[in-house]
Amino acid sequence: MILRSKIMTSDDMNRALKRISHQILEQNQGAKNVILLGIKSRGVPLAKTLASNIKLIEGIEVPVGEIDITLYRDDLSKIQPDPIVSNSIIPCDINEKTVILVDDVLYTGRTARAALDATSKYGRASKIQLAVLIDRGHRELPIRADYVGKNVPTSRAELIAVHVNEIDGKEDVEIFAE
């Protein structure tokens, strides 16, 4: 794959995440009943950034957890014969709460569907919303994000790479083509 362009810098990402934080607060009349669950792996640091932004804006600490969707994927057998499963970390009871699933890229919708299935294992949230940094289109399931940092029309041959400091040592979003 060849780097086509950088579509977001670190500053762009931070601006988008601040905007999403404000939208979350507006849509939910504050953050009192909100839990953020980052979809492993890059959704986790994005969820932590959203929580940090919300604390600065509202002064409320929003619980942040991690959800591992590995066993809920419908393509598990295609990925690898022995999948590596890590623990989900759910910081509190999700019953009657607004759970916001956070991911880096929304593509076919299959990851989001798996995250919905995984989340239901932990209780019955009053609402589940989806926040993504990038929505690149090409949905295969009827899923849409409630909060989007940037819409990036792509071809199926392209790849979007979100880099976060905690995992990649840099922060940006790049698009690659064959």
Side-chain angles (χ1 to χ4, degrees), residues 4 135-138 151-155 158 175:
R4 198 177 95 195
D135 184 343
R136 63 172 288 191
H138 302 286
N151 287 292
V152 181
T154 62
S155 77
E158 293 173 314
I175 187 164

Side-chain angles (χ1 to χ4, degrees), residues 1-157:
M1 299 292 271
I2 299 165
L3 176 63
R4 198 177 95 195
S5 69
K6 184 179 289 195
I7 55 176
M8 290 183 96
T9 64
S10 178
D11 288 341
D12 296 332
M13 290 173 66
N14 286 323
R15 274 191 294 279
L17 291 169
K18 283 179 186 169
R19 181 173 35 79
I20 290 171
S21 302
H22 281 283
Q23 290 172 340
I24 287 170
L25 292 169
E26 192 174 307
Q27 183 71 25
N28 295 293
Q29 291 81 45
K32 186 178 176 187
N33 214 25
V34 171
I35 299 168
L36 297 169
L37 292 182
I39 299 172
K40 290 187 176 182
S41 61
R42 284 172 181 79
V44 174
L46 297 176
K48 289 177 181 176
T49 300
L50 291 173
S52 177
N53 290 344
I54 289 169
K55 183 169 182 171
L56 287 172
I57 298 164
E58 290 274 309
I60 294 174
E61 280 209 36
V62 176
V64 179
E66 304 176 8
I67 194 96
D68 183 359
I69 62 157
T70 305
L71 293 178
Y72 297 89
R73 295 179 62 102
D74 60 4
D75 61 352
L76 187 58
S77 61
K78 294 178 185 177
I79 295 174
Q80 58 190 36
D82 296 318
I84 298 168
V85 179
S86 60
N87 290 328
S88 291
I89 299 168
I90 309 302
C92 57
D93 182 13
I94 70 165
N95 288 300
E96 302 307 316
K97 301 282 197 265
T98 297
V99 173
I100 301 175
L101 299 170
V102 182
D103 204 7
D104 56 350
V105 178
L106 178 57
Y107 182 32
T108 62
R110 293 184 182 279
T111 296
R113 189 222 25 100
L116 287 166
D117 290 347
T119 302
S120 68
K121 171 184 173 185
Y122 297 98
R124 190 175 193 286
S126 62
K127 275 195 273 188
I128 299 178
Q129 299 172 343
L130 178 61
V132 298
L133 184 61
I134 303 291
D135 184 343
R136 63 172 288 191
H138 302 286
R139 223 67 83 238
E140 294 174 2
L141 299 173
I143 289 177
R144 67 164 181 78
D146 299 277
Y147 312 102
V148 177
K150 185 173 180 110
N151 287 292
V152 181
T154 62
S155 77
R156 289 190 179 271

